[in-house]
Amino acid sequence: MRMGASLKYGQATASLVVGKWSAALRQNTLATALKEWGLLRRTLHTARYLSDPVYRRRISRQLIKGESLHALRRDLHYAQQGTITARPYLSDQTEQAWCLTILTNSVVVWTTEYFGLAVQRLRADGRTVEDELLAHISPGRSENINFFGAIPVEVEAELAKLDNGWRPLRTRPADGGGWSGGVFGE
């Protein structure tokens, strides 16, 4: 009952409870039952993964999206070679990690907004963009980001370029070649 209450009220996570029960010297029936339940769930998941190609592709897509987000965070954190440099205080390290999270979220929001504008433009131009295809796109991209140096910006000139609050989208070159930098604002 104590274990159930701890889980219900958020005092402990399921992984912590299972870890503590597994590490205990004396194994009781509850610990044995939890182990067996875990083995059963793992077996069912493995059987479904091996037998269902659609399920495998869905898991693979999610893993790729997660990896692209990790790559974005590594790219954003490159100036410190991917290390937390705020030492020795935990509060400083936490603040640095939160700054990285805010920066990552900002890039993801920016990219998502401009992906949406690009899709609207393509559809307005008569191109078919399937919603099913959009489910495979990850906003954790960094091709449109300058990670090095400072860029002098004339604010008034940049504001004059805005089209209803948005920067103009880049378009395909006239020679039919690839995209010039993608669908991001210039």
Side-chain angles (χ1 to χ4, degrees):
M1 288 177 55
R2 284 184 295 203
M3 183 189 71
S6 295
L7 291 171
K8 181 177 181 179
Y9 294 111
Q11 300 299 319
T13 62
S15 60
L16 175 68
V17 169
V18 170
K20 292 291 184 182
W21 281 104
S22 297
L25 293 175
R26 284 185 18 206
Q27 295 292 309
N28 64 19
T29 55
L30 182 57
T32 304
L34 287 173
K35 281 183 188 178
E36 292 299 321
W37 176 255
L39 289 173
L40 176 65
R41 294 294 302 160
R42 188 176 310 137
T43 302
L44 291 174
H45 170 74
T46 303
R48 181 175 179 201
Y49 184 82
L50 293 173
S51 66
D52 189 352
V54 174
Y55 186 63
R56 276 195 309 270
R57 280 193 301 274
R58 194 172 85 204
I59 289 175
S60 180
R61 275 196 313 266
Q62 291 304 325
L63 289 172
I64 290 169
K65 287 179 184 179
E67 286 303 316
S68 71
L69 191 58
H70 290 303
L72 173 63
R73 286 188 175 135
R74 276 191 305 275
D75 291 344
L76 291 172
H77 207 320
Y78 182 78
Q80 278 79 38
Q81 288 78 39
T83 60
I84 301 289
T85 57
R87 290 195 177 95
Y89 301 107
L90 179 61
S91 62
D92 293 342
Q93 293 175 0
T94 304
E95 183 177 318
Q96 187 176 355
W98 276 113
C99 289
L100 178 60
T101 300
I102 290 170
L103 185 58
T104 303
N105 290 346
S106 300
V107 169
V108 168
V109 167
W110 175 273
T111 304
T112 302
E113 288 293 323
Y114 276 91
F115 275 161
L117 290 173
V119 168
Q120 286 176 2
R121 165 86 59 84
L122 290 171
R123 287 177 174 166
D125 292 345
R127 303 272 309 265
T128 302
V129 180
E130 301 290 332
D131 288 335
E132 174 65 26
L133 177 67
L134 296 177
H136 301 282
I137 296 175
S138 172
R141 305 182 61 95
S142 61
E143 292 87 2
N144 59 322
I145 301 170
N146 178 4
F147 295 105
F148 307 103
I151 301 172
V153 176
E154 294 184 29
V155 176
E156 294 300 324
E158 289 297 319
L159 289 174
K161 292 181 190 176
L162 296 182
D163 178 25
N164 293 328
W166 300 101
R167 300 182 82 195
L169 295 174
R170 296 177 188 163
T171 58
R172 184 183 297 260
D175 64 359
W179 290 96
S180 60
V183 295
F184 304 103
E186 296 187 82

